[in-house]
Structures are given as structure tokens and as C-alpha cells.
Amino acid sequence: MSDKSKADRPANAQSNEHSFTLPTILSGPILRKCTGSEITLWLATSKPLEGQFALYLSGEDQSIYSIGLETGEYVQLGDRAWAYLLNITGDFPTDTPLEYDLITKEGNLTELVSDILYESENRVQFEIKSRADYVMHGSCRNPHYPSKDSLVAADNKVSNLAIEERPSMLMMSGDQIYADHVAGSMLDAIQQVIALLGLRDETFIDAPIASASELYQHESNFYERDKILPHYLDGGEGAIERHVWLKNWLTRKSPVFSSRESGNHLISLAEFVAMYLLVWSPTLWRFVDNTALEQNGFVHANKELAPKWQKLWHEEFPEIETFVVGLSNVRRLMAHIPTYMIFDDHDVTDDWNLTRGWEQAAYQHPFSNRIIGNALIGYWIFQGWGNTPSQFDNAFISSVRSVFDNNNTNQHDALISRLYKFEQWHYTIETTPKVIVLDTRTRRWRSESKLNKPSGLMDWEALSELQQSLLHEPAVIIVSPAPIFGVKFIEMLQRGMTILGQPLLIDAENWMAHPGSANTLLSIFTHSKTPTNFVILSGDVHYSFAYDIRLRFSKSSPNIYQITSSGIKNEFPDPLLKICDVLDRALYSPRSPLNLFTKRKNLKIYKRDPNFDGERRLINQSSIGEVYLDKTGKPTKIQITLAKGDVVTFPEVEKLQ
């Protein structure tokens, strides 16, 4: 990467001997689920952990709790890589400044990770907050997108706050990685890390390549994986299917992985593992030489990359270098603030489970089934495990270990099958107000009429469970990766593409796209025993906005707030968003008669005007969201901190009628 990192890199970092010593901690520590009865810490290491976790009252020398690190659950990912989860149970002080340390024979945490502390700290400080009164949230972090990383801005903000003023949690609501849109230099780094750590090989069935190791040496390895990824026979089903001649013309081989940037799509389990390690920590970048391929004339597998790919490599490379510079800040932030995560599509692949037809094509093909399964295994290790550790017993963890220990195709496929049947990716954080995090990807309400109609984001059973969890709650925070109340004009465009039989072309998925899920969801908000204050935190769309929603014709409407912050490091095509913003304002004001033709006709939606230059309500800049709530769970301040450091607030609407 940079000249300094090249100088720090061992000369034989690319050799097979690996005679140099890797740092003990490769990624993390990341503070995960934290309550008065459990503290969860995730980290990746280059060797088995030995030593102690110690918990302190802030400023005290004597620990109030300690436990051996070897008691943590682990999965050995490769010859020189372990993922650890320390889920420590006990009776821990809440709303009290605490500190933690890892004490090993190689040194304590600050000796293992020299830049983990904020100024004036001697140990990592954190607080288990009983109230969710200040939440940071965001989604969509694409390493090579040409903007700054707003997690760095979040860390800079937290560094200037007293511990009691820090966020109660960091909620990452989807697309923590972009498995389907990977820069060439990032993929090169991923494959160097696979060799460096001795990550496991795997074999494939019904694929153009027999194994992961063969994939890495294939002439289509860089930028042309769409030639390797599976295809299916698309019958052109949709509104135009009545025209037989046109349907026959449309019958063609279509890619299962429909992302327009799938040329570097992650495939092997080792690639997913290495990707996570590289987006959360700067450590392994010191051992990566992203100049090697260029110095070799961009020749890979005895084939020179096409000029257009060389040009793209040069465009992406500076963005990856800038991204790496900020990773120390990202690691520090997640070590201090309890961090929760949920998947969206790009954590796996674009259009993941968008339609019933897509699912049939993807899961019936052994190769695409394996790729999606690898993404879910990676998600569990690096994200899902730390959200709800108690959901995963020893038998489950053993089934994951067996995949990495044995390179056995049957065990690998058995684990993937188990993950596909798993229905507990959603979870609740028992703060005040309660935080309910939705799985909008795996429990879909599938269309029964046409294969290519968008599925509902949650099925009837999942929505019924949601309603039960809301009963008698005075206030609640709902985390929905996609906005429940989105931009109506954009939803209208998505509906139009669905009518034309092309829902994948414009990602036609929103809560209102499926009648069953839309009507069931809207009935939840009108139920007399559901909360007074609903705060909905969302991402997905690559722009930010805030809406106040009230029931029409009701004197006792609940207060509903749709707060969307996206992306952490991504943005929407600006000219197109500007047009959508203007037309949405013009066509769908709270008094517009066009609202009567939408499923939300019984709701009034008031759009907050941000204190931002111009007339736009949709802020199209990389940012991290911030929501402050009072004791009743009502937002007192809604704002975003832009990646470049500026703050944009969304003041209250002056008069709601």
C-alpha cells in the first residue's frame, strides 16, 4: 500500500515459508452484545489465545471480574487464523464507566494493538447503557467508493466525547461488506491474505473450476468472474409473457448473480473470511503488496488484463489506499462502542432473495448455492455470532469448525443447509426503549402469482411475531435495513419496472412492493396496543432523510419516525437522485391526492427539511446517522455526520396536521 506500509512489510511476506511473526491480534477487538448480564467481545488472532480478560471500574487498578481467554469459543479459520468470541456472563454494572483489558504472555491489549486507545485512556473504556438514548447507525460501506469512510468521522466524534456522552450503541444495518462489488486491488489483497494465513481450500461441484485454489489461478480471476459464475435459463416471465414470440426471444441464459459489477464477486469461503479481516482492521494490510500485479505488467495466469481493467484498477487503487489509512480509527471505534449488525443484500450478493424466481435459480444450482452459503458462513462468524451468542450452542459451533477442519464437501453443504433453515437472524436488544432488529432477507413473503414479482420483505409469520413483540411497549426502535416508509416517487418507478417484468433491473424491493406484507405491516402501526413512539432506523438506499408519520383521521395517532442514514461509504447517482427528490416533493406532499393511490393512503408523511444548502430533502453524501431520544423514546435530535466531518440536522416539522 503506502510507502510506509511497504517498508514495514517483511521482505518474504509473499513467500511460502511465512517465517516472520504475525501480530497476535489480526482484527478487533470488537465490542458486541453488552448488557447487565453479558459482555461480548469478538476478535481474530494468528494463534490460540492464552491469558485473561479483565474488567475494571474506570480508573481502578483492581479488576472487578476476570476470566481466562481460553474459555472463549473459537473457530480456527486457517493455519494462522482463529476467530474468537468471548461471551462473558455475570452481574455487571450498567450506566457506569468501565474498562477492559486482554492480558496475554505477548503483552496486554495496548501492547498488542498500540493505537486502540483514545487520548487520556490507559485501558479501553466503555459503558453498558440501559437506555438507548443516543444511537449511531448506518449501512452500505463500499471500500473503493470515492468518498471518505464515515466510520472514521464517527470515531473522531467519539474521541472528543466524555464516556457518559458516547453512543449507547453503533447499529450497522446492512452491507457491511460488498461481496458482489470488489475492487481489483482488494481482491488481490484478499488472495494474498488467504496464502498468508493459510486459509482453507475448498472444492466445487458443477462449476467451471474444481477448487478455490484453481479459481485464484484462473485467467478470469480478476474482473471477469461473470464468465465463471453460474447462469440459468430465463424464460422472460412477466407482464409481457402473453406475447409468445417475444417470450421466446427473451429466453436466454441469465446470470444468477445479477450485480452489474460482479466481475470480482467473492466465491470461496476463504475469500469472504479475508474480506472481513481486511475491512475491519489495518493489521494485515502491512503484509499485502498491491503493486505486485502491476509490476508484473498486469499479467495473471499468463494472460494480461485487458486495458479497460487496468484503467479501472488504477481508478480504484487510490480509494483503497485511502480506505486503509482510516482502518485504525474504525477498529478503535468498534472496540469502544457496543456494535450490532444485520445483513442486507450486498453482504451476500445483489438481489439476494429478491424474487421467487431468483431463489429457484440460485438455490437449485450447486455452485451458486455454495457461494451464497459461503457468504452466510462468513456473516455468522464475523457478524451474526456476536449479536446473539446464546442462539448458537456447542453443536452449532462444532458444525462450523468441522467445515474449516476437514475440507469435506458433505459437511460444508450440510452447514449451508442448516443456515438456510435458520430463522433466528433477527434479534432484540433489551434496552429502553427496546431495539428490534429485523431480518428482511431470509423470511420473505414470496409471490404466488409470478416468479419475477418482488417478494415481501417479511412473511406473515415473521410479521405476526413482530407484532407480538410490540404489544404493550410504550416505545420501540425498529431496525429495518430497507426503509419502511421510503421515497414514494422512487417506489413508483420500481413498481413500473415490476409491471414491465424487470424487477431486478432497478432493485424493485421495498416494503410496499408486496401487498400482503405491506398491508400486514401497516396494520401493526394502527393497532391500539402497539407503542406510542416508533423510531425506525434504516439504510440500504445510499441517501439520508427523516420523515414524521401520522395516521389520517385519527386523534390518537402514534408518533412514527422514519430515519434513514446511508451509506457509510457510498452514495446514490446524484443527477438521478436530484430529479427523484424534486418530483417526489412535487407529486407526494402530505395533501397530494396521489397519496390516495398508494398503500399508505391512511398515513400522512411529513418530510423534514435538513439544514443543508439547497432545497433537497434527500442528502446524498456518505455519512453516519445519529439519533438522540428522550425518556419516552421520542427523538429530540436527528442528524447525520458527514464523512468529511460536517453535521446536517433534520429539524422537527413546525406543524403536523
Side-chain angles (χ1 to χ4, degrees), residues 133-135 157 626-630 634-637 639:
D133 54 0
Y134 172 22
V135 179
K157 177 160 190 172
E626 298 177 86
V627 182
Y628 298 80
L629 301 101
D630 64 18
K634 182 178 179 180
T636 58
K637 186 192 298 183
Q639 65 184 35

Side-chain angles (χ1 to χ4, degrees), residues 200-203 205 370 399 401-416:
R200 302 299 190 236
D201 199 2
E202 67 180 288
T203 56
I205 299 173
R370 170 63 66 83
S399 68
R401 284 179 182 156
S402 68
V403 170
F404 288 92
D405 290 345
N406 301 319
N407 189 21
N408 182 291
T409 297
N410 291 333
Q411 289 178 323
H412 200 141
D413 290 340
L415 174 61
I416 289 171

Side-chain angles (χ1 to χ4, degrees), residues 467-468 470-472 520-532 534 551 556 558:
Q467 184 168 28
Q468 289 300 311
L470 295 172
L471 293 178
H472 308 298
T520 305
L521 178 71
L522 292 174
S523 70
I524 290 174
F525 291 103
T526 60
H527 195 286
S528 60
K529 295 182 180 179
T530 48
T532 301
F534 285 93
L551 302 183
S556 57

Side-chain angles (χ1 to χ4, degrees), residues 238-485:
I240 57 177
E241 67 183 359
R242 295 184 299 274
H243 304 289
V244 176
W245 67 271
L246 187 55
K247 180 179 178 181
N248 290 339
W249 178 77
L250 284 170
T251 300
R252 63 198 185 277
K253 284 279 190 175
S254 297
V256 173
F257 298 97
S258 48
S259 171
R260 290 181 293 274
E261 298 89 9
S262 61
N264 286 331
H265 200 300
L266 300 184
I267 291 177
S268 71
L269 179 53
E271 287 181 329
F272 282 96
V273 168
M275 177 78 166
Y276 278 108
L277 294 173
L278 289 169
V279 300
W280 284 351
S281 171
T283 300
L284 287 169
W285 286 101
R286 294 185 4 230
F287 303 93
V288 167
D289 184 359
N290 269 153
T291 66
L293 189 61
E294 183 177 5
Q295 291 173 357
N296 194 38
F298 285 108
V299 174
H300 176 76
N302 297 318
K303 178 184 175 183
E304 184 180 358
L305 268 62
K308 64 178 179 178
W309 302 135
Q310 295 184 36
K311 180 176 182 293
L312 183 55
W313 182 292
H314 286 299
E315 291 171 356
E316 296 167 339
F317 184 80
E319 302 303 332
I320 292 294
E321 283 206 306
T322 302
F323 174 78
V324 172
V325 170
L327 287 175
S328 293
N329 297 82
V330 174
R331 175 173 58 187
R332 184 172 67 173
L333 174 70
M334 294 196 293
H336 285 78
I337 307 297
T339 302
Y340 297 87
M341 309 176 190
I342 190 65
F343 45 51
D344 204 4
D345 52 353
H346 295 287
D347 297 274
V348 177
T349 189
D350 193 25
D351 299 328
W352 180 32
N353 294 346
L354 178 59
T355 67
R356 183 163 59 96
W358 187 96
E359 290 189 53
Q360 288 185 10
Y363 298 122
Q364 289 177 6
H365 195 295
F367 190 30
S368 54
N369 187 78
R370 170 63 66 83
I371 296 168
I372 298 165
N374 284 341
L376 270 179
I377 296 171
Y379 170 80
W380 177 80
I381 294 168
F382 291 87
Q383 299 194 59
W385 195 8
N387 292 327
T388 54
S390 61
Q391 288 278 11
F392 308 104
D393 58 17
N394 290 333
F396 185 97
I397 296 170
S398 294
S399 68
V400 179
R401 284 179 182 156
S402 68
V403 170
F404 288 92
D405 290 345
N406 301 319
N407 189 21
N408 182 291
T409 297
N410 291 333
Q411 289 178 323
H412 200 141
D413 290 340
L415 174 61
I416 289 171
S417 178
R418 183 173 187 170
L419 291 174
Y420 286 161
K421 295 174 183 176
F422 186 71
E423 292 190 343
Q424 299 297 321
W425 295 118
H426 61 286
Y427 58 95
T428 297
I429 308 170
E430 296 294 345
T431 51
T432 303
K434 182 164 70 172
V435 180
I436 299 174
V437 184
L438 305 182
D439 165 14
T440 61
R441 280 288 159 188
T442 73
R443 301 184 71 184
R444 294 271 180 150
W445 194 328
R446 295 162 182 88
S447 172
E448 297 180 0
S449 60
K450 293 186 183 296
L451 288 176
N452 71 341
K453 273 193 173 182
S455 298
L457 300 192
M458 289 170 63
D459 62 20
W460 182 86
E461 183 180 20
L463 287 167
S464 297
E465 291 174 8
L466 170 62
Q467 184 168 28
Q468 289 300 311
S469 68
L470 295 172
L471 293 178
H472 308 298
E473 291 288 337
V476 68
I477 298 172
I478 296 175
V479 179
S480 167
I484 291 179
F485 302 98

Side-chain angles (χ1 to χ4, degrees), residues 225-238:
R225 290 187 168 197
D226 49 320
K227 298 178 181 179
I228 298 174
L229 295 169
H231 289 62
Y232 69 101
L233 192 65
D234 182 2
E237 183 193 50

